Amino acid sequence: GAGVSQSPSNKVTEKGKDVELRCDPISGHTALYWYRQSLGQGLEFLIYFQGNSAPDKSGLPSDRFSAERTGGSVSTLTIQRTQQEDSAVYLCASSLSTGTLPYEQYFGPGTRLTVT
Amino acid sequence: AQSVAQPEDQVNVAEGNPLTVKCTYSVSGNPYLFWYVQYPNRGLQFLLKYITGDNLVKGSYGFEAEFNKSQTSFHLKKPSALVSDSALYFCAVRDGGSYIPTFGRGTSLIVHP
């Protein structure tokens, strides 16, 4: 079946511009995560959506970052007034409802963002 | 609070030799532990997980991991390495009361022919 898809695969933008990154999770997965991966820094958690509950935004690095998830499916991560330090690979992952059960995550291929 | 450490940035092993990629963790409750692999320009792929029960967990591509509660470790192992195993490996931990796993910084595994 189809996995997690992300678009665009690459994005080059000028400092100060806004960008939108899209994630299509696996159908039926109610949990969705956004991570940022910088070279040598591992995965940095950004935001978590679970069904219709309020998202956990505790990982967002600044108020320039926001995300929404429409209809419990597609998610968009928006970065306003991009800065060079925002350059990274942005990964989306989905999983079955976590609850108390530790379902594994399925990751998309990522969006490589370069801010010039 | 939960945390995970991968003490080696890089592991080098010859093809055919056994490999070990180390991971230690810290949680306040019972741990859920995961290993993922990332090939170049790809997202992470799930390898295996420990929830409860047997300390030796078997996963994809011949990998296994051993849960050691006293040493708070969850090392990834494979009896005979392949060149195609060369990739970036991530350990992750989730406290039973948390919905969000914490990932290690990753270990680059290089298998030499």
Side-chain angles (χ1 to χ4, degrees), chain B residues 60-97:
Chain B
S60 306
Y61 313 122
F63 284 94
E64 57 189 27
E66 185 171 9
F67 171 67
N68 187 316
K69 186 173 183 178
S70 63
Q71 297 185 3
T72 61
S73 67
F74 189 57
H75 300 333
L76 182 70
K77 300 181 179 184
K78 187 174 182 181
S80 179
L82 300 172
V83 172
S84 57
D85 292 331
S86 298
L88 192 57
Y89 290 81
F90 289 93
C91 180
V93 66
R94 217 192 89 189
D95 189 291

Side-chain angles (χ1 to χ4, degrees), chain B residues 10-63:
Chain B
Q10 184 171 302
V11 170
N12 291 276
V13 65
E15 188 174 30
N17 283 0
L19 69 88
T20 299
V21 182
K22 296 180 180 178
C23 172
T24 59
Y25 67 89
S26 174
V27 296
S28 54
N30 291 321
Y32 298 136
L33 294 152
F34 306 81
W35 276 103
Y36 291 84
V37 59
Q38 185 178 33
Y39 298 101
N41 300 314
R42 303 278 295 276
L44 279 68
Q45 296 178 31
F46 169 74
L47 278 179
L48 51 79
K49 67 182 176 184
Y50 171 83
I51 303 174
T52 186
D54 288 342
N55 290 340
L56 186 64
V57 179
K58 294 187 182 297
S60 306
Y61 313 122
F63 284 94

